[in-house]
Amino acid sequence: MIPHDATVIGDCTLYQGDCLEIMPTLGKVDAVVTDPPYGIKQDRGFSGFGGFGAPIARRQYGGHWDDQRPPKEAFELLGVAAPQRIIWGGNYFTDLLPVSGKWLWWDKCQTMPTFGDGELAWTDLPGVAPKKFTYSNNGLMAREKNRCHPTQKPVAVMEWCLGFLPDAQTILDPFMGSGTTGVACAKMGRKFVGIELQPEYFDIACKRIEDAYAQPDMFVEPPKKAQQERFDL
């Protein structure tokens, strides 16, 4: 196998590279919580119309990662990696994932009629009752306004996901983006393994996770200094 460099921040191990190459080199984890590219060509952000039909300028982001969704191989690797999975955007991958009754729905409290009212996550969690989380992430009502990735989930949404995985100590996100899943893990005292293809978002994820550890929390130990480790596999 090709060796990979890892950046270690506290209990978070982060890889910059292609998850299809890196995931086979990793051991099993307790759960996957991830938000893959949906393949709907919104990699540069979203635009729409505001009051009185005035157009909203498209927010600009880097990368061209949303041209296509991940291949079938990626979802097969996720099935091997962990016994439990929460995959956001599951409605875009229904032909690649088993039938599930336990869907999660994030209600965004959307006020823009041109945008979706919420997002769906496919899971293989036990049970058949869909669950809903209401959390505003829109305009002036947004509770987390600083976004650096076009599909960045609020930390509260990922903390909600982790609440369905009380016994999962190590969480994998192979489509880490700006690192929100890792931030939630740092805040909740979980171990985290993240993979991100785009270098600019990888750097952002590292910074956000470092900042999460820096915030006082009686349940989370201070992180070890970020360091590069090389694994010859």
Side-chain angles (χ1 to χ4, degrees):
M1 295 288 184
I2 299 173
H4 298 286
D5 291 331
T7 297
V8 179
I9 305 171
D11 284 330
C12 299
T13 303
L14 314 177
Y15 298 90
Q16 193 274 303
D18 189 335
C19 67
L20 294 179
E21 297 178 1
I22 296 174
M23 274 199 290
T25 71
L26 305 177
K28 286 186 177 295
V29 296
D30 298 316
V32 168
V33 178
T34 191
D35 186 23
Y38 300 165
I40 56 177
K41 305 186 187 309
Q42 293 290 352
D43 49 283
R44 292 291 182 175
F46 296 85
S47 59
F49 295 90
F52 305 103
I56 299 174
R58 180 178 289 268
R59 186 183 295 185
Q60 295 296 312
Y61 297 95
H64 293 278
W65 45 264
D66 199 36
D67 289 339
Q68 57 186 354
R69 62 184 185 168
K72 181 179 180 180
E73 177 188 358
F75 294 97
E76 292 173 345
L77 289 172
L78 293 182
V80 173
Q84 293 183 303
R85 294 166 289 171
I86 297 176
I87 302 176
W88 284 97
N91 48 308
Y92 297 105
F93 315 126
T94 53
D95 59 325
L96 301 175
L97 293 167
V99 174
S100 171
K102 186 81 169 189
W103 286 74
L104 305 183
W105 176 38
W106 167 33
D107 179 0
K108 296 181 176 181
C109 306
Q110 188 60 258
T111 60
M112 296 300 298
T114 54
F115 293 175
D117 293 334
E119 294 192 31
L120 292 168
W122 174 95
T123 86
D124 54 5
L125 301 174
V128 294
K131 296 296 182 180
K132 172 184 170 182
F133 183 70
T134 301
Y135 191 89
S136 177
N137 196 46
N138 178 52
L140 294 176
M141 298 298 293
R143 301 188 196 180
E144 297 180 25
K145 297 181 182 297
N146 296 324
R147 296 177 62 195
C148 42
H149 192 285
T151 63
Q152 183 172 316
K153 295 284 187 293
V155 174
V157 171
M158 291 312 192
E159 290 177 333
W160 177 61
C161 291
L162 294 178
F164 291 99
L165 303 162
D167 298 323
Q169 292 302 307
T170 303
I171 309 296
L172 169 66
D173 184 351
F175 302 97
M176 179 172 62
S178 59
T180 302
T181 307
V183 170
C185 286
K187 286 180 170 294
M188 297 180 72
R190 310 286 186 97
K191 295 180 180 179
F192 175 70
V193 179
I195 306 171
E196 172 53 36
L197 181 62
Q198 300 290 339
E200 60 267 38
Y201 292 130
F202 178 82
D203 291 341
I204 290 170
C206 290
K207 178 63 165 58
R208 292 183 71 213
I209 291 170
E210 286 180 341
D211 289 347
Y213 275 117
Q215 296 173 6
D217 190 322
M218 64 181 295
F219 298 107
V220 180
E221 295 182 0
K224 295 169 286 188
K225 184 178 180 181
Q227 58 184 340
Q228 291 284 337
E229 292 188 1
R230 192 170 185 83
F231 298 91
D232 294 320
L233 301 169

